Amino acid sequence: MAHRSSTYTLEKARLIARGAEAHIYLIEDWHGFRAVAKVRVSKPYRVRELDTIIRARRTKLEAYFLYKVKRYGVPTPTVLHVDLHNATIIMEYVEGILLREHLLRTPDEDAVEQLGSLAALLHTHSIVHGDLTTSNAIFSDEQVVLFDFGLAKSAVTVEDFGVDVLLFKRSLLSVHFKYFNELFEAFIRGYQRVAGKNRTNTVLKKVSEIERRGRYVSRELR
């Protein structure tokens, strides 16, 4: 995995996704095969030197977590090149569709159960994804592939794991609410298969606690 700037260019790359933090480009020919480039965009409200440092740091951390979790058996796009100067990660192109789109077509409990197992695998290695939603996973040949580790971090507290699960729960409620009960139960089945019953129950209790705190704060702000 290279960390220096190279002679590649994005002139012939095609923009396929535009986000608040980064743009995603499809590269049809990266040394003979397809790849994607994630380019963190500059923020005009930040001092230029600070902006450069922040984007480079976040790029480095995301590449690190993509590499690290793959070693633990979590399917992720393979990192091919890291250009800190241009805040860019080039990684393999994964054929498939967003899990979000797949679930809108069919409430695939098996796919969500896979995702639950992957979340538990991250947590058992003291890592949280940070943005665990159906929009940050690809359904590829019957397999769930996680991506977008821009908010990932090392974690050791049940609170961190609870927040990760709660984020996923809220993504189901907002996008897949028609099948929320079935899909969230599938997620928990997958999670428990890896984490075990006791640890899963501990995390779920923390999720409920965080939700109660949120409702209390909302009432106080009225």
Side-chain angles (χ1 to χ4, degrees), residues 34-66:
R34 299 176 96 191
V36 294
K38 179 174 182 177
V39 183
R40 274 188 166 74
V41 296
S42 179
K43 299 294 185 180
Y45 58 81
R46 288 196 295 237
V47 176
R48 184 175 179 181
E49 291 78 6
L50 180 61
D51 180 70
T52 300
I53 292 171
I54 291 173
R55 289 189 297 125
R57 181 183 299 154
R58 291 179 179 174
T59 298
K60 183 177 181 179
L61 278 174
E62 180 168 11
Y64 166 76
F65 279 111
L66 281 167

Side-chain angles (χ1 to χ4, degrees), residues 99-110 112-113 134 168-169 171-187 189:
L99 182 59
R100 178 182 187 275
E101 302 304 320
H102 175 63
L103 294 178
L104 288 173
R105 297 177 184 179
T106 177
D108 188 343
E109 293 181 27
D110 290 339
V112 177
E113 192 169 328
T134 57
F168 177 74
K169 183 178 180 180
S171 81
L172 288 183
L173 283 168
S174 64
V175 182
H176 312 286
F177 55 90
K178 287 177 61 177
Y179 302 101
F180 167 76
N181 289 330
E182 300 95 315
L183 294 179
F184 191 61
E185 286 174 7
F187 179 87
R189 284 199 302 273

Side-chain angles (χ1 to χ4, degrees), residues 191-206:
Y191 193 98
Q192 183 172 304
R193 188 169 63 244
V194 173
K197 186 174 182 179
N198 290 339
R199 183 164 184 165
T200 300
N201 287 339
T202 299
V203 172
L204 289 176
K205 286 179 182 177
K206 181 58 67 173

Side-chain angles (χ1 to χ4, degrees), residues 216-222:
Y216 174 78
V217 170
S218 295
R219 287 197 301 270
E220 291 297 301
L221 292 177
R222 287 174 186 172

Side-chain angles (χ1 to χ4, degrees), residues 143-159:
Q143 182 181 51
V144 173
V145 179
L146 275 178
F147 69 97
D148 197 352
F149 280 75
L151 297 176
K153 65 177 184 177
S154 297
V156 294
T157 69
V158 178
E159 177 92 6

